Amino acid sequence: MDSKKSIFGIVFLFLFLGSLTLAARDYYQIKVYTVKDKTQEATVDKYLKDAYLPALHRAGIKKVGVFKPIADDPASGTKIIVFIPLKDLNQIDKLGDKLLKDKSYLADGAEYINAKYDNPPYERIESTLLKAFDKMPEFFSPIFDTPKSEQIFELRSYQSATEKIHRKKVEMFNEGGETEIFRKIGANAVFYGEVLSGSVMPNLMYMTSYSNLESNKAHWKAFGKHPDWMSLKEKEEYKNTVSHIDKWLCHPTAYSDI
C-alpha cells in the first residue's frame, strides 16, 4: 500500500510540475532612454551595441530588441527603447551582479559606465516590467525581407481608468479574442504584456511588426474592418476599457536582435 501511495505521489508531482511548465509565461523589461542630443544618442548606442547586448547574451538572454521612433514621429531622436525578454524574474534580480562581474562588459562599456556627473550619457531611464498574456506566453521575433531601416515595430500602451476596468481590457485581448484578430490579419505580434510595475498604471502594452510603413497602415486598416473586431468592440462589457493610448512607430536599430 505504501509503495502504491509513493508511486501515486511521484506521478502527481510530475503532472503538477508539467502543468507549471505549460503555464509558464515570459516576463519583459522595457527600458526607455531619453537623450537630449546626437552625442548622447551615439554614446548610448555604442554602449548597447558593444557592451550591454553582448553581456545580456552571455547571461543567457539571446534576443534583445532596440528600437527608435521613426523620423516623422514627434519623439524622434529623443527615445531609445530596449525590449528585454526574460524567462523568470530571477534573471532581473541576478543580472546586476552578473554585469558587475563581467570584465568584457565593464571594459567595452567604460565610456558609458564611467561617465561624469556633469556629462551623463542620457537624461533619464524609465523601466517597465510586464508579464506575457496567456494567449501569447512567449515573445516572437519576426523575419522580414526589407532592411531594418524600413521595418516598423509599433509599440502601444493602453491605460485604463481603474484596475478592475484594466482587467476587462486584458480579458478582451485574451478570452475576448483581440489577440486572435491580430493573428488573423498577420500583424506579427512580438509580445502582449500586462504591466506589473511602471510609471503609468494600470495599463497593458504590446508590439506588432511590419515590413514597412505601408504594410503597417494596410494591416491596421484590415484590423479596423475585420468582422471579428466589429463584433468585439460592440460588446457592452468591453466598452470604455481604454482611457488613454500611447503609440510609438519605430525602426529597429542595425544592431537589434529583433
Side-chain angles (χ1 to χ4, degrees), residues 7 13 38 49 54 85 93 138 174 200 243-244:
I7 292 172
L13 178 61
K38 291 299 181 183
K49 176 180 179 290
D93 185 40
E138 296 181 319
N174 285 297
V200 180
S243 59
H244 179 78

Side-chain angles (χ1 to χ4, degrees), residues 220-232:
W220 275 107
K221 185 176 181 180
F223 182 92
K225 292 182 177 181
H226 197 283
D228 291 353
W229 172 245
M230 299 296 287
S231 174
L232 181 62

